[in-house]
Amino acid sequence: MLCPLLAAGAASSADLNEAWLAIANSHPKDALRKLDESDPARAVQLARAVALMAQQSATDDNVRAAEKIFVELATGNDEPADEAAYLQARLYQLHYVQPDYAKAAELYQALAQRHPRSHWAQLGLVKLALLKLYVVPDTTAAGSDRLAPAEALLAQISDPLLQRDLNLQIGQAGVALKQPLARFLPHLVAADRVGGITATAREDLIVQIGVLSMRAGDWAQAKKYFERYLVEFPNNVRAYDVKLNLDDAIRHLAKRAGS
Amino acid sequence: MSVKRHRRRIGVVVLGLAYALAVWWVFTRSTPLIQQRPVTIRFAHWQIERGPPDGIAAAIKRYEELNPRVHVEQLLIPGATVYPQWMRSNLAGGTGPDLMEWGSWLAGQRDIPARYFTPLTAELAKPNPYNKGTSQEGIPWEKTFHDNLLVPRRDSPEPGQIYAVTISEATVRLFCNIKLLQQCTGSTAAPTSFDDLRKIIARIEDYARRTRQPIHALAGSGDNGLWIAESLFSAPLMGVSRSIDDKGYLYTYNRDVLAAYLEGRWSYGSPAVSAGLRLVREVTGAMKPGFLQLHRDDAMLEFFRGEAVFIYTGTWDATSLRRMAPFTVVPMRLPNVLPSDPEVGRYIIGIGGEGQGETSVAMYLNRYSEHKAEALDFLKFLTSVPGNQLFTDASLWLPSVNGVKLPEEIKDFRNYQLGHSFGQAPYDIIGSEVNGEWKRHFYQLVGEQGSVKQFATALDEVMPVAIRTDLQNEMRNTLLLVKPQDALIVANAEMATATPTDGHYRERQLEMEAGQTMSEGLALQMKLVLDTTTIGKR
């Protein structure tokens, strides 16, 4: 009696994995073919909604169909509920032809209140902070300090990698929003300390901390980062200027030591 | 009766011939009549100059010996006119090759990596297995490249990801017909500064006038004109780029230069930018009239006919020049414009640098390839010490990988100038709209009817809209990648939970989350500039 049921269950789980794999390989149509629309399992419905939002070409109809499923799933109290709530916010921020940043911000906030420790809620806080930095500034909270609302959200994030990502973004926003150097340079240093930043972003960050430290008069920190750059990227076109800046930093430190 | 016997004889002869043909095929051909290798990967590029196809074929031959399951097909697609359309239509139609070359300067193709290619970052962090027993054994793949993959990192659609590996290295040189230089100027000394070159050009023009010979200092064509223009135009721009480097990168990305224009921080009429235009006008004046209408092959022919003393081109043409020129060709560096230059020196902050060489011919892995593992494996072989050595020896193009021995003929190309380098590109190629307007109006700079003022004025009339459009496109291209990642992140998270022993999916999820946030931040910074500036708004 049990055998056919077990077999059905195993096949369904295998199909689900195949569907997720198809989505991970950017083949959402294949995923939809593997999933039974009438299957009420929450995991299956989540995969269906994700496949719908990933359809090419993207249309508001597909996004709406995905949202309908996300809304239903988000009422639960499990991992798919948090994933669905996070993705619903993403739809309003990025996927609808006409974004609704305020609505997205509201949904990220609601998820963080409901399940603050969930990975998806924490990732949502990073996205919310970006919105607050650039498109829905919180003007009531901290006057003209554009970084403060994002810093308040940073305090709610416990995942070190997500803290790193938000620190990096607050640092970059500090430059873009022309904030005082002392307000954002420590965020860049904090992001670097966690490590794991790769490719150009890594190279840019090391030079950037060196140069901004120099501009802030922190010659010792500038020297440290310039030296690190020259060890990691000795052949890069920037190495010549980094070397000149390093010489400058060493001169200033020697002068200070002399006086 | 005799007809029957005759027919039988014909049958026996035909059978005998067929048998003989089969025996001949078996003993003289290495490949079977029907392809028996189960996997075929296609490798497409536009380097159809003399050299690279031979180099890649040599590497393929060895790879196929090592991997009997795999056949690698090299597709040579002409670059300038055919490749972009060919690439887009094949990728869109789902028939794109497994591995393909791409460059950020291909007009209108900036969105391709985000749409169709897959990042190699995680693979690049591991050693290349084909480097076993070489000087690069155990070193992460990324660190085995001469420049640590500077160009693929710079051109990546995501700041935290690397999407390509390079197989060669290129630079530009002033190739000289040394005998003709001696004949025109009485000396074979290479110019040591731009002012020195200026004087040599004047002497060559004087010689041509006196002897009534059709000799020009520089072989001319639209392509060669633009290459030398870009090199010289960059010299005074270094100071401008430094002044707009708010981020402290000691480097300006195209998006930063576009944004600074919209913020009114530079224009084509700015004194330093105009100084660059002046250098471009000066040097293109040393090419024959009408050069803009000609192509690089025409310039090569002019040089081969002994009608031009120098040709300014990339080391990608070096093998052709060496094999085809009926005279001795000596490569020289284009001399620097120095702060002591009598004409534009006050805008020059120092010597311009070439770094330690940038590797090139960037190869990308098609996201939709059915043989990703095999294609990646071939890339690893081609960019290993033994694979890249085969490429270098057969092509006489510089290798991209450390530990490859340089053939004698190309040793000089690694003699790079150290100096400042402040930007991703000179201000004529910071975007495809910008480049289109530059080319459309270039005639207003050169020749007897042209002038710097006229060109700068024309550009500052059309560029505001072009620059705003290019920044909008940069933002859209960044978002192109961000959007689909939402589904990919969740799918990788689900796969990580379903297969807890396979760390690959969790690694990919976290890598994508970090990259996506960085790209979103960049897009929002561009949006901020577009929303808060008015230059170029219609």
Side-chain angles (χ1 to χ4, degrees):
Chain A
M1 268 282 279
L2 275 174
C3 284
L5 283 176
L6 283 173
S12 158
S13 155
D15 280 352
L16 185 60
N17 281 356
E18 276 181 32
W20 282 121
L21 191 59
I23 298 170
N25 287 329
S26 308
H27 295 299
K29 276 200 178 104
D30 293 351
L32 282 175
R33 273 194 287 272
K34 291 176 200 304
L35 296 165
D36 179 0
E37 196 178 334
S38 60
D39 188 336
R42 290 169 63 73
V44 173
Q45 289 304 316
L46 179 69
R48 273 198 66 241
V50 173
L52 280 170
M53 75 181 266
Q55 292 286 308
Q56 289 298 329
S57 53
T59 63
D60 272 2
D61 282 348
N62 282 335
V63 179
R64 256 190 297 277
E67 191 192 357
K68 203 173 155 209
I69 303 172
F70 288 146
V71 170
E72 274 181 38
L73 290 171
T75 55
N77 222 349
D78 52 6
E79 179 88 355
D82 293 343
E83 286 170 290
Y86 169 76
L87 288 172
Q88 192 197 353
R90 298 298 284 165
L91 297 185
Y92 282 98
Q93 186 182 341
L94 276 175
H95 295 261
Y96 277 117
V97 172
Q98 195 60 46
D100 184 343
Y101 298 122
K103 173 87 175 167
E106 199 181 288
L107 290 166
Y108 289 132
Q109 193 82 61
L111 173 60
Q113 273 163 7
R114 216 164 45 241
H115 294 130
R117 314 304 294 173
S118 145
H119 175 76
W120 304 103
Q122 299 246 310
L123 182 58
L125 286 176
V126 176
K127 309 297 184 185
L128 176 61
L130 278 173
L131 290 180
K132 284 190 183 260
L133 284 167
Y134 294 104
V135 284
V136 284
D138 191 346
T139 46
T140 53
S144 62
D145 188 338
R146 298 281 299 271
L147 307 184
E151 285 171 328
L153 294 170
L154 178 63
Q156 298 175 42
I157 297 174
S158 53
D159 179 335
L161 294 182
L162 296 178
Q163 281 176 346
R164 174 200 64 193
D165 294 346
L166 184 50
N167 265 312
L168 183 61
Q169 290 312 311
I170 296 174
Q172 303 300 359
V175 181
L177 298 166
K178 303 188 187 342
Q179 298 293 294
L181 201 49
R183 284 287 287 110
F184 64 84
L185 180 55
H187 287 289
L188 296 174
V189 176
D192 174 61
R193 275 204 195 113
V194 177
I197 296 172
T198 52
T200 310
R202 177 188 180 82
E203 192 185 335
D204 287 344
L205 184 63
I206 297 171
V207 186
Q208 184 175 37
I209 297 175
V211 171
L212 297 184
S213 300
M214 210 167 79
R215 287 182 194 164
D218 187 344
W219 299 100
Q221 183 164 277
K223 177 175 173 282
K224 189 177 119 188
Y225 276 90
F226 290 144
E227 282 172 343
R228 197 174 127 196
Y229 182 88
L230 291 173
V231 169
E232 285 195 34
F233 304 101
N235 290 340
N236 190 294
V237 283
R238 283 187 265 197
Y240 181 84
D241 281 290
V242 170
K243 178 80 180 57
L244 292 181
N245 281 290
L246 173 62
D247 292 346
D248 211 15
I250 291 169
R251 249 195 318 276
H252 272 87
L253 286 168
K255 208 167 137 190
R256 193 178 289 170
S259 64
Chain B
M1 194 69 179
S2 73
V3 173
K4 234 180 185 177
R5 258 174 57 195
H6 190 64
R7 275 190 187 156
R8 201 173 295 154
R9 242 184 231 164
I10 290 173
V12 170
V13 169
V14 168
L15 204 66
L17 278 174
Y19 181 75
L21 182 70
V23 168
W24 172 79
W25 186 271
V26 166
F27 285 98
T28 59
R29 302 283 157 146
S30 57
T31 51
L33 271 169
I34 298 163
Q35 186 56 256
Q36 286 184 339
R37 290 175 186 247
V39 174
T40 296
I41 54 176
R42 292 181 303 143
F43 180 100
H45 64 90
W46 64 74
Q47 309 303 158
I48 56 173
E49 300 92 343
R50 294 198 177 206
D54 300 343
I56 292 164
I60 289 174
K61 186 168 179 285
R62 179 65 186 137
Y63 181 78
E64 289 184 344
E65 284 166 9
L66 295 171
N67 297 276
R69 281 183 64 249
V70 184
H71 170 59
V72 185
E73 201 180 322
Q74 181 179 194
L75 307 178
L76 307 175
I77 315 292
T81 48
V82 180
Y83 194 90
Q85 288 85 346
W86 177 86
M87 171 174 65
R88 187 172 287 281
S89 55
N90 275 283
L91 286 172
T95 55
D98 305 273
L99 294 164
M100 58 197 310
E101 191 177 6
W102 178 84
S104 61
W105 64 91
L106 293 171
Q109 311 295 328
R110 286 287 296 184
D111 59 316
I112 293 282
R115 283 186 198 276
Y116 299 109
F117 300 150
T118 194
L120 306 175
T121 323
E123 287 296 323
L124 283 160
K126 301 172 201 159
N128 181 345
Y130 287 105
N131 277 333
K132 207 170 171 194
T134 73
S135 62
Q136 304 302 300
E137 180 174 352
I139 298 173
W141 190 18
E142 178 189 351
K143 299 281 180 195
T144 63
F145 291 89
H146 189 227
D147 62 346
N148 294 341
L149 295 175
L150 176 67
V151 176
R153 275 188 282 131
R154 193 174 61 198
D155 292 343
S156 171
E158 291 177 273
Q161 300 283 358
I162 303 173
Y163 273 68
V165 293
T166 48
I167 62 174
S168 186
E169 184 175 309
T171 186
V172 271
R173 288 286 179 263
L174 201 54
F175 291 89
C176 176
N177 176 342
I178 203 78
K179 198 174 156 199
L180 190 57
L181 177 68
Q182 164 86 47
Q183 191 182 317
C184 295
T185 66
S187 167
T188 56
T192 55
S193 69
F194 183 77
D195 196 43
D196 214 3
L197 179 64
R198 199 180 260 142
K199 286 168 187 154
I200 290 174
I201 290 172
R203 262 184 266 153
I204 294 167
E205 283 170 355
D206 179 55
Y207 176 85
R209 233 183 341 263
R210 278 189 288 111
T211 59
R212 297 188 177 184
Q213 288 187 62
I215 295 173
H216 290 89
L218 285 164
S221 79
D223 302 315
N224 300 72
L226 285 169
W227 292 332
I228 199 163
E230 279 161 13
S231 296
L232 289 167
F233 188 33
S234 296
L237 297 182
M238 288 188 297
V240 184
S241 292
R242 191 159 70 174
S243 74
I244 60 173
D245 179 27
D246 296 344
K247 290 177 179 159
Y249 285 168
L250 296 181
Y251 193 80
T252 46
Y253 288 95
N254 290 344
R255 55 180 177 268
D256 303 322
V257 181
L258 295 167
Y261 186 95
L262 296 182
E263 289 167 345
R265 296 170 71 182
W266 68 274
S267 70
Y268 289 90
S270 306
V273 183
S274 287
L277 298 178
R278 188 169 165 178
L279 290 169
V280 174
R281 177 169 161 75
E282 229 181 307
V283 81
T284 50
M287 293 178 175
K288 66 172 162 190
F291 72 91
L292 272 179
Q293 275 68 48
L294 304 174
H295 297 289
R296 57 190 275 205
D297 293 343
D298 301 306
M300 292 279 259
L301 289 175
E302 185 189 356
F303 185 68
F304 291 149
R305 284 196 303 266
E307 292 174 1
V309 177
F310 300 104
I311 182 166
Y312 187 71
T313 186
T315 49
W316 54 83
D317 277 333
T319 309
S320 305
L321 285 167
R322 196 176 293 111
R323 288 181 188 171
M324 294 165 74
F327 44 77
T328 306
V329 178
V330 176
M332 298 173 176
R333 265 206 302 254
L334 180 69
N336 264 277
V337 187
L338 302 174
S340 59
D341 189 272
E343 306 291 333
V344 300
R346 61 185 176 283
Y347 302 110
I348 306 294
I349 62 167
I351 289 176
E354 296 176 300
Q356 293 288 321
E358 286 187 5
T359 60
S360 58
V361 189
M363 298 303 304
Y364 289 76
L365 176 58
N366 186 343
R367 183 190 294 175
Y368 302 102
S369 160
E370 284 180 15
H371 305 295
K372 276 202 200 86
E374 289 85 355
L376 186 63
D377 191 62
F378 175 65
L379 265 193
K380 285 181 181 170
F381 177 73
L382 186 56
T383 58
S384 65
V385 175
N388 214 226
Q389 187 74 61
L390 288 166
F391 168 78
T392 303
D393 291 345
S395 66
L396 289 181
W397 276 33
L398 284 171
S400 61
V401 174
N402 293 323
V404 173
K405 289 190 185 98
L406 293 187
E408 200 53 45
E409 299 94 316
I410 59 173
K411 270 188 177 156
D412 264 6
F413 296 157
R414 276 260 169 92
N415 174 20
Y416 293 115
Q417 174 71 58
L418 291 180
H420 301 285
S421 177
F422 256 98
Q424 186 175 358
Y427 296 2
D428 58 326
I429 48 172
I430 46 179
S432 54
E433 294 290 317
V434 166
N435 190 233
E437 293 295 0
W438 172 281
K439 283 180 177 163
R440 250 190 298 285
H441 293 270
F442 196 63
Y443 72 94
Q444 289 179 275
L445 177 67
V446 298
E448 282 181 15
Q449 309 297 319
S451 80
V452 169
K453 198 172 173 206
Q454 177 181 245
F455 185 52
T457 307
L459 289 187
D460 280 327
E461 271 170 26
V462 295
M463 285 302 189
V465 171
I467 284 181
R468 182 166 285 277
T469 307
D470 276 333
L471 191 60
Q472 277 162 346
N473 289 340
E474 283 257 355
M475 184 182 74
R476 279 193 202 116
N477 289 341
T478 307
L479 287 174
L480 259 183
L481 198 84
V482 166
K483 236 161 97 165
Q485 279 178 337
D486 280 333
L488 304 186
I489 286 169
V490 174
N492 276 283
E494 290 293 336
M495 289 304 294
T497 309
T499 55
T501 50
D502 186 350
H504 161 80
Y505 293 110
R506 188 69 70 203
E507 192 183 326
R508 187 78 188 107
Q509 175 205 343
L510 300 177
E511 188 184 278
M512 267 197 282
E513 283 179 6
Q516 190 196 43
T517 297
M518 281 191 248
S519 300
E520 262 178 281
L522 269 185
L524 286 166
Q525 284 164 31
M526 289 186 256
K527 178 173 161 42
L528 180 75
V529 173
L530 290 164
D531 289 348
T532 55
T533 55
T534 54
I535 292 176
K537 258 189 185 157
R538 288 191 231 239

